[in-house]
Amino acid sequence: MMPKLYVAMVGLPASGKSTLANRIRDDLQGEGIACAIFNNGELRRRLTGPESTESQWYAPGNEEGREIRERIALQNMEEARKWLEEGGDVAILDATNGSRRRRRLLEQTLSDHPVLFVECVNEDPLLREACIRNKAKLPEYAGYSEEEAVQSFKARIAYYESIYEHLSEEKFWLCVDTMANRILAESPMEGSPFYPAIRELVVTTWVKNLYLVRHGQTEFNAEGRIGGDPLLSAKGRTQAASLAAHMEGVPIDYIFTSTRRRSHETAMYLARTRPDVIIRALPEFDELNAGLCENMCYQDIRVQMPEVTRQRNADKFNYCYPEGESYAMVMQRVLRGLRRALFLSGGAPTCIVGHQAINRVILSMFLRQRMEDIPYMFVPQNQYYRIESTPKLRLVERIPYASKR
Ligand code: F6P
């Protein structure tokens, strides 16, 4: 008989627990495993009134709030237990479960099958703020202004923080940096068929429908001039328009650009037919900074600064422009930008309008390219990429705008 499992999420509000819980469920269900989520927050919203939105309800000294929250947790445990009894394989308990006391209660109450705790840590201030702003839009905050809701949610988090303890004493657990898809620490569950699958999926960069576009041509591109902040050329505007025409009807909920005008201008063509699209500029996606060589032509650099050309040709990946950057340096920030973009879009269809060096680096993350080859990857301006990456599928498709989808 197939063993059964409880997965109990652990983490402060807005740490990415529900996103990860959904991924675990979707992935296991794809393997034919019966998996369901039991979410304390949803149950609370069903069972209690507006009082449970107020931050005070979460104060550790608020006996009434504490008692109701514990009752809700027990009711969810009971439902999860029944569900496994009736044929389910994996029950995910999605709640903060931040104190050792609560986790002991889970282990004691759910003693019929092992409990694997999965702790989510999100220390990226930008992502935390974005998650909090999303929570502030929940219907339970309908009577609050956005700022009031944000402040109230922050106060709620502070109460949770005051009693929060990291995993350590529990029997089986994984602690995950949800932004970096990295396992920070673990107490493995040897012999479980689910453990390696869950372990793999928390470290996978999970992408469904990521479109990677390079901005259209600029006058600088036409002249072989690098960097700067030029606008699109007439040809670039035509390219952006045909890209938008080619992608018409393709769902895109988020567009991430760099802070450069050529990237934003290209994105605006895509936004024309998508009134609800969220456009966000991330400086992590700015083109490689060529330092003292910014705004120069490759030809001028060859003549006026032959050392730059010689050294760059010798090791293009590691070469750092005077007062500028190397590919190796860019890689760090682009990786952070990609993680932020993927986290902020929460799995919705997403487009990144990047630059030549930036798109090379992003592509290399999915193609597992050798470092020294990255600066030579082909990133044309009249084609875009569609990327999918899950534990079961890795796909990088290059699509010319002119072709039919
Ligand atoms: O030429 C366009 C450009 O985006 C420049 O702004 C940038 O310096 C360059 O591409 C990066 O490509 P490479 O590393 O091949 O010079």
Side-chain angles (χ1 to χ4, degrees), residues 103-356:
R103 296 193 294 259
R104 263 199 301 274
L105 182 68
L106 274 155
E107 282 181 324
Q108 282 158 8
T109 314
L110 305 173
S111 57
D112 49 344
H113 301 291
V115 181
L116 170 66
F117 291 99
V118 177
E119 180 176 8
C120 295
V121 176
N122 169 16
E123 278 171 355
D124 184 304
L126 183 128
L127 296 186
R128 281 183 68 147
E129 187 66 28
C131 288
I132 291 168
R133 297 221 159 248
N134 277 346
K135 299 273 185 189
K137 292 191 188 106
L138 285 175
E140 69 173 301
Y141 282 113
Y144 293 59
S145 73
E146 188 179 331
E147 242 3 82
E148 280 165 0
V150 165
Q151 289 321 318
S152 167
F153 198 75
K154 284 185 175 168
R156 189 194 297 190
I157 295 179
Y159 284 134
Y160 275 112
E161 251 167 343
S162 69
I163 54 143
Y164 192 79
E165 293 159 294
H166 285 287
L167 293 168
S168 67
E169 287 172 357
E170 294 71 12
K171 197 159 176 206
F172 305 119
W173 55 268
L174 259 180
C175 177
V176 184
D177 179 336
T178 36
M179 195 308 265
N181 301 327
R182 224 179 43 216
I183 292 175
L184 299 169
E186 66 180 325
S187 168
M189 197 170 200
E190 308 293 351
S192 158
F194 302 120
Y195 191 76
I198 292 175
R199 205 179 184 286
E200 191 200 10
L201 82 93
V202 301
V203 297
T204 301
T205 302
W206 192 285
V207 173
K208 287 263 179 84
N209 290 329
L210 171 67
Y211 299 96
L212 182 63
V213 171
R214 186 177 165 199
H215 63 81
Q217 193 211 50
T218 64
E219 293 303 342
F220 271 32
N221 293 144
E223 294 164 12
R225 201 178 284 284
I226 65 174
D229 194 12
L231 287 167
L232 299 185
S233 64
K235 182 174 173 186
R237 291 195 295 275
T238 307
Q239 285 171 332
S242 21
L243 168 74
H246 184 89
M247 295 189 87
E248 208 181 314
V250 174
I252 297 176
D253 292 359
Y254 288 81
I255 303 178
F256 293 93
T257 67
S258 74
T259 64
R260 302 295 164 204
R261 296 191 297 179
R262 54 196 185 277
S263 162
H264 185 76
E265 208 185 336
T266 306
M268 292 316 286
Y269 282 83
L270 290 168
R272 278 183 191 166
T273 53
R274 297 175 178 84
D276 296 329
V277 74
I278 296 170
I279 304 182
R280 189 155 181 162
L282 293 179
E284 285 92 343
F285 293 148
D286 284 355
E287 181 55 308
L288 182 144
N289 176 2
L292 297 182
C293 298
E294 281 280 302
N295 302 308
M296 287 177 79
C297 288
Y298 286 112
Q299 174 60 17
D300 296 339
I301 301 172
R302 253 194 300 277
V303 174
Q304 295 166 28
M305 304 168 89
E307 266 311 283
V308 168
T309 307
R310 195 189 61 72
Q311 288 180 26
R312 198 159 193 256
N313 286 344
D315 184 358
K316 195 174 172 189
F317 182 76
N318 288 303
Y319 178 76
C320 177
Y321 277 107
E323 298 181 25
E325 289 178 302
S326 65
Y327 272 88
M329 289 154 78
V330 161
M331 201 147 185
Q332 302 307 314
R333 65 170 163 91
V334 171
L335 185 57
R336 187 178 61 232
L338 180 65
R339 285 173 178 155
R340 284 182 160 174
L342 295 177
F343 193 96
L344 290 170
S345 58
T350 297
C351 177
I352 297 174
V353 184
H355 301 259
Q356 175 153 258

